[in-house]
Amino acid sequence: MERRYSIERVRNIGIMAHIDAGKTTTTERILFFTGITYKIGEVDEGTAVMDWMAQEQERGITITSASTTCFWKNHQINIIDTPGHVDFTVEVERSLRVLDGAIVILCGVGGVEAQSETVWRQADRYKVPRIVYINKMDRIGVNPEKAIEEMKETFSVRPLVIQMPLGREENFRGVIDLVEMKEVDWGDDLLGTKFEVRDISDEHKKEVQMKRNEMLERLSDVDDVLMEKYLDESEISPEEIKKAIRKGTISLQLVPILYGASFKNKGVHPLLDAITNYLPSPLDIPPVKGHHPRTFDVETRKASDEEPFSALVFKIMNDPFVGTLSFFRVYSGKAKVGSTIYNSTKAEEERISRLLEMYSNKRKEIKEVHAGDIAALGSMKNFSTGDTLCMRNHPIVLEPIKFPEPVVSALIEPKSRTEHSKLAEALEKLTKEDPTFKVVQDSMTGQTLVCGMGELHLEVLMDRMAREFGVLANLRKPQVAYKETITSSSEGEGRYIRQTGGRGQYGHCKIMIEPLKRGKGFEFVDRIKAGRIPKEFIPSIKKGIKEAIEIGILAGFPVTDVKATVVDGSYHEVDSTSIAFKIAGSLAFKDAASRANPVLLEPVMSLVVISPNKYLGDIVGDIKSRRGRIEEMELRGGSRVIKIFVPLAEMFGYATDIRTITQGRGVFSMEFFRHEQLPTPVMEEIIARIEGRISVQR
């Protein structure tokens, strides 16, 4: 099966933004104008192709990233539409890991919002080139210049304005292209398929020339040939300008800015042109790096069909008709139906039975995939998110995807005893799909806990369990995922000796523990000298310490930000075993931790509230009652924007409270900031409650 388009004509892009900036609406227009759909889907009506889940259609938000393929001017564009809600940020994270470029959509009224910052930082982490599309130019109060200034301040980037809006608010008709020096006017065409491309009108010529000179001056910093022509005042062709913009975008020196009103079908055609002209193909991205699974030598793969096959699984999805779908990005080589691929992460081989090209929740059978493609494998049971696929005779392990830790947990119980096994099966499938959803057994009560990124995250998953798996379950009030740490250094000793006739058990070690900086996790150091403990028992001590860390010191929460150093110990030539030293390590940690002034840590959230100014006093009073601290306040277009740090434990039910306080006119977004030490009275109360001495209802 030959390629439809050569690899330099392939674009793998993501569309990302703050919630309600217009990601899905813009994607629906792209699918319509590229001929993939015959009717424009609307988010508000629940008919959007990319929002296919029942929960998405009911809530009017994107929950899961949807992948689709479209074609524009002899280019293949693979698009992933990502959620804007912080509870589903995992979908942005895993998508960016496999994408070559991105469109960041900003609301022309709201500008740079809280989740805009989050997705921008995620794109920075993966060095993804991007263009910015300022949407909702038809809205009252639109201020694109302010949005661009906020970009400069917040992101420390160099925006490159390559268009001018043709009118704004209710008079927005189209855009003026500063590269081609043309006006693109949609006029009053509601469907957006008819537009006029004409020369610049006299009333705009002076401003357009000034803006074009600013653009060329900025571009001369990234392209020497263009600089010479600009300084010599020579004629610069549109093709030369496009080449310079592409160079600056791919090298992350510039971010092109475009305008539009996707809901009114204006501005999407130039956006499609910008995707093909300025965003990178797989050839423009550095070769992917990994390591050999056995030798750990660095391995690289170029984006070429001639290279050995390598791919990364970035998403697992349960399909009622196909079973498990494994979405993957091909970095090099090709694979076809019937061939065998090697999962180097799990050291397993599987035969490809089905290859699928995805169009949101619809699919098309294909026979072969090539370098640069994004596709799905059907019926592969043992694949997980982050697995590397390759050929056994050319193995490579690519860098896995890193996911944030869940911050909310809740007790889950089936509504009837007969549903226990069905519940376990459903939870297993959901945890395979979503790496930020975890299921754990409470060691003290034996109850099942589900952990996620927020209340909405858990609520949606419970809804999916009922609809997709037919399992009805009750969720008790979410519990906060506290952690424990130590605040001082101490030493501890663990000695495990058992004699039961015949060979006994002997393990003995001394360790020193000390606190680490917040967010450092766990560190283990071996300082045993002169063979006091044989080297083969050191990993067992580490394992014992890690088990003790999971159990906790004060209240059964995992311990973090601690360094453990093995300093001394002893062994018995006959009786010493790995299990004895594992138990000794666990006992030594518990002994040391009890004297290291342990404390509880709670997740603190970064909260941004946007509300009419008249409700400011009530909002501030409510935040203070929740132990929140206000970091910053600013006026933005008549609304007050308040940035706050507040403990997650105090934020349950806030969505309802903020609507009540602001009569439905306030909105907020919240994301995890870091773990911080609990105030002593609150900590004592939580420990007492867990121990069952008191029962506190918040």
Side-chain angles (χ1 to χ4, degrees):
M1 179 180 166
E2 292 298 315
R3 279 183 171 277
R4 278 172 292 195
Y5 296 100
S6 57
I7 193 167
E8 64 268 14
R9 290 182 175 271
V10 173
R11 302 287 182 271
N12 291 314
I13 65 155
I15 300 183
M16 50 194 204
H18 185 85
I19 192 168
D20 204 31
K23 296 177 300 302
T24 304
T25 300
T26 303
T27 311
E28 293 298 319
R29 272 60 182 173
I30 288 173
L31 296 181
F32 177 73
F33 293 133
T34 55
I36 297 298
T37 55
Y38 65 91
K39 181 187 174 192
I40 296 176
E42 298 294 357
V43 174
D44 295 339
E45 295 171 10
T47 57
V49 173
M50 302 300 271
D51 283 354
W52 57 270
M53 289 172 66
Q55 294 85 356
E56 293 176 315
Q57 292 165 359
E58 288 171 4
R59 289 173 166 82
I61 61 170
T62 302
I63 290 169
T64 184
S65 56
S67 172
T68 193
T69 300
C70 61
F71 307 93
W72 181 255
K73 294 185 178 178
N74 294 321
H75 285 76
Q76 176 180 329
I77 306 173
N78 301 318
I79 301 174
I80 297 179
D81 175 32
T82 64
H85 198 288
V86 68
D87 279 20
F88 310 105
T89 191
V90 60
E91 297 290 339
V92 184
E93 191 78 27
R94 63 164 135 215
S95 301
L96 281 170
R97 174 66 176 81
V98 297
L99 292 173
D100 301 328
I103 301 166
V104 177
I105 298 181
L106 297 181
C107 172
V109 181
V112 174
E113 298 171 276
Q115 192 65 6
S116 312
E117 293 184 45
T118 303
V119 297
W120 196 277
R121 285 198 304 271
Q122 288 172 308
D124 277 343
R125 189 157 60 246
Y126 292 108
K127 296 183 171 59
V128 175
R130 64 217 82 146
I131 29 186
V132 167
Y133 176 69
I134 298 180
N135 192 23
K136 303 190 179 183
M137 289 298 299
D138 58 326
R139 288 270 298 273
I140 294 171
V142 68
N143 190 346
E145 293 79 17
K146 186 171 183 292
I148 292 169
E149 284 304 312
E150 287 175 354
M151 273 183 64
K152 290 179 186 175
E153 292 171 17
T154 310
F155 305 144
S156 301
V157 294
R158 300 180 66 192
L160 180 75
V161 177
I162 60 173
Q163 290 180 349
M164 276 177 55
L166 194 60
R168 58 181 68 193
E169 297 186 351
E170 70 270 14
N171 298 318
F172 180 72
R173 299 172 61 84
V175 294
I176 300 171
D177 189 337
L178 301 178
V179 178
E180 299 280 359
M181 290 298 279
K182 297 285 183 182
E183 289 183 2
V184 187
D185 188 349
W186 279 264
D188 298 321
D189 179 35
L190 294 177
L191 203 55
T193 52
K194 296 176 183 175
F195 53 91
E196 181 186 355
V197 180
R198 57 174 182 256
D199 291 334
I200 309 290
S201 54
D202 291 338
E203 62 177 303
H204 295 123
K205 272 186 178 174
K206 187 176 179 183
E207 187 182 2
V208 167
Q209 195 56 54
M210 184 182 75
K211 291 283 185 186
R212 189 172 196 264
N213 287 339
E214 286 178 11
M215 177 186 75
L216 293 173
E217 192 175 321
R218 186 69 56 83
L219 283 172
S220 63
D221 292 341
V222 299
D223 192 289
D224 294 338
V225 176
L226 192 138
M227 179 189 281
E228 286 179 25
K229 287 197 169 188
Y230 177 67
L231 294 174
D232 294 340
E233 297 185 0
S234 304
E235 184 68 28
I236 303 173
S237 70
E239 290 309 313
E240 289 174 309
I241 296 173
K242 287 176 186 175
K243 186 180 174 184
I245 296 172
R246 181 177 178 81
K247 181 180 175 183
T249 305
I250 292 172
S251 62
L252 303 177
Q253 292 175 272
L254 300 170
V255 181
I257 307 290
L258 297 93
Y259 302 97
S262 295
F263 187 68
K264 296 288 179 65
N265 308 314
K266 296 176 173 68
V268 178
H269 296 80
L271 177 62
L272 279 162
D273 289 337
I275 291 168
T276 58
N277 289 334
Y278 309 133
L279 287 179
S281 75
L283 292 178
D284 298 311
I285 301 299
V288 67
K289 287 186 178 180
H291 67 266
H292 193 286
R294 290 184 294 277
T295 65
F296 293 95
D297 293 338
V298 174
E299 299 270 342
T300 58
R301 295 281 190 273
K302 293 176 185 173
S304 166
D305 291 350
E306 310 308 316
E307 287 269 303
F309 177 73
S310 68
L312 185 77
V313 177
F314 67 92
K315 180 179 171 72
I316 302 292
M317 191 176 90
N318 289 304
D319 187 286
F321 305 105
V322 184
T324 302
L325 284 176
S326 307
F327 288 76
F328 66 103
R329 156 74 191 266
V330 184
Y331 285 99
S332 63
K334 50 190 177 181
K336 56 187 175 183
V337 173
S339 62
T340 301
I341 52 174
Y342 181 60
N343 183 338
S344 57
T345 309
K346 293 190 169 78
E348 295 174 352
E349 266 188 329
E350 281 198 56
R351 187 176 295 277
I352 299 174
S353 57
R354 298 185 77 176
L355 275 173
L356 304 163
E357 190 171 77
M358 297 303 295
Y359 296 89
S360 186
N361 64 325
K362 295 180 174 61
R363 57 207 162 272
K364 174 185 167 187
E365 297 262 358
I366 54 175
K367 297 296 181 188
E368 192 171 14
V369 287
H370 305 83
D373 284 350
I374 290 177
L377 287 158
S379 308
M380 307 298 255
K381 292 182 179 178
N382 295 324
F383 286 1
S384 304
T385 302
D387 283 357
T388 300
L389 311 179
C390 57
M391 307 310 291
R392 185 183 275 277
N393 55 349
H394 290 95
I396 184 173
V397 178
L398 302 175
E399 184 187 346
I401 309 170
K402 294 183 175 69
F403 296 109
E405 285 292 313
V407 293
V408 166
S409 64
L411 287 172
I412 185 169
E413 296 170 341
K415 288 198 173 178
S416 64
R417 288 186 177 183
T418 56
E419 297 207 314
H420 264 290
S421 58
K422 282 173 69 180
L423 174 65
E425 189 180 325
L427 289 175
E428 185 183 348
K429 287 183 178 177
L430 290 172
T431 51
K432 198 169 183 181
E433 267 191 38
D434 187 347
T436 58
F437 176 61
K438 294 187 178 177
V439 180
V440 294
Q441 291 294 123
D442 189 316
S443 57
M444 289 185 290
T445 63
Q447 293 171 308
T448 303
L449 293 172
V450 287
C451 309
M453 299 305 294
E455 285 181 275
L456 180 61
H457 186 201
L458 295 180
E459 185 186 318
V460 166
L461 288 168
M462 291 308 104
D463 194 15
R464 283 189 59 197
M465 265 205 316
R467 294 190 199 214
E468 294 174 31
F469 304 105
V471 179
L472 297 175
N474 292 321
L475 265 190
R476 291 198 198 167
K477 184 179 175 182
Q479 302 296 310
V480 177
Y482 292 103
K483 290 191 176 183
E484 301 181 11
T485 192
I486 57 172
T487 54
S488 63
S489 302
S490 72
E491 290 188 358
E493 185 175 5
R495 193 186 297 269
Y496 183 74
I497 304 170
R498 287 290 181 274
Q499 288 293 339
T500 55
R503 185 176 175 181
Q505 297 278 357
Y506 184 93
H508 171 226
C509 67
K510 291 181 180 178
I511 67 167
M512 182 177 75
I513 61 171
E514 52 194 300
L516 293 175
K517 282 186 179 177
R518 199 67 66 239
K520 289 292 183 182
F522 171 65
E523 196 177 311
F524 179 80
V525 179
D526 172 20
R527 285 208 189 136
I528 292 292
K529 292 180 182 177
R532 297 282 296 168
I533 300 175
K535 287 291 180 189
E536 63 264 28
F537 294 132
I538 300 299
S540 299
I541 296 172
K542 181 180 179 181
K543 193 174 179 183
I545 293 172
K546 288 183 85 170
E547 283 188 7
I549 277 173
E550 288 301 315
I551 295 168
I553 313 161
L554 290 170
F557 299 110
V559 183
T560 188
D561 305 332
V562 62
K563 177 181 177 181
T565 306
V566 186
V567 292
D568 198 5
S570 62
Y571 74 102
H572 190 280
E573 286 185 4
V574 176
D575 291 349
S576 284
T577 61
S578 295
I579 190 73
F581 273 101
K582 186 177 105 170
I583 296 169
S586 178
L587 293 171
F589 180 80
K590 289 175 185 174
D591 181 41
S594 64
R595 292 193 292 272
N597 299 318
V599 293
L600 285 186
L601 300 175
E602 64 177 341
V604 172
M605 311 302 282
S606 173
L607 173 72
V608 178
V609 180
I610 303 172
S611 159
N613 198 39
K614 65 178 182 178
Y615 302 112
L616 178 63
D618 291 336
I619 291 170
V620 170
D622 180 64
I623 287 299
K624 287 187 175 177
S625 73
R626 297 174 187 269
R627 295 194 286 124
R629 58 181 191 272
I630 294 166
E631 290 295 304
E632 191 181 330
M633 287 191 202
E634 62 173 291
L635 276 170
R636 185 186 292 172
S639 293
R640 182 71 72 167
V641 180
I642 316 160
K643 295 182 180 178
I644 305 149
F645 292 130
V646 61
L648 176 64
E650 307 291 343
M651 291 303 291
F652 296 124
Y654 188 66
T656 305
D657 293 345
I658 191 69
R659 279 198 290 267
T660 305
I661 291 169
T662 63
Q663 297 177 16
R665 294 166 67 189
V667 294
F668 76 97
S669 64
M670 186 170 69
E671 65 175 319
F672 175 70
F673 173 56
R674 67 182 181 195
H675 277 87
E676 291 183 1
Q677 187 173 328
L678 268 165
T680 303
V682 181
M683 182 175 74
E684 288 172 351
E685 183 183 307
I686 289 168
I687 293 169
R689 185 175 8 144
I690 289 169
E691 290 176 348
R693 289 201 300 264
I694 61 172
S695 176
V696 175
Q697 289 189 347
R698 292 206 168 204

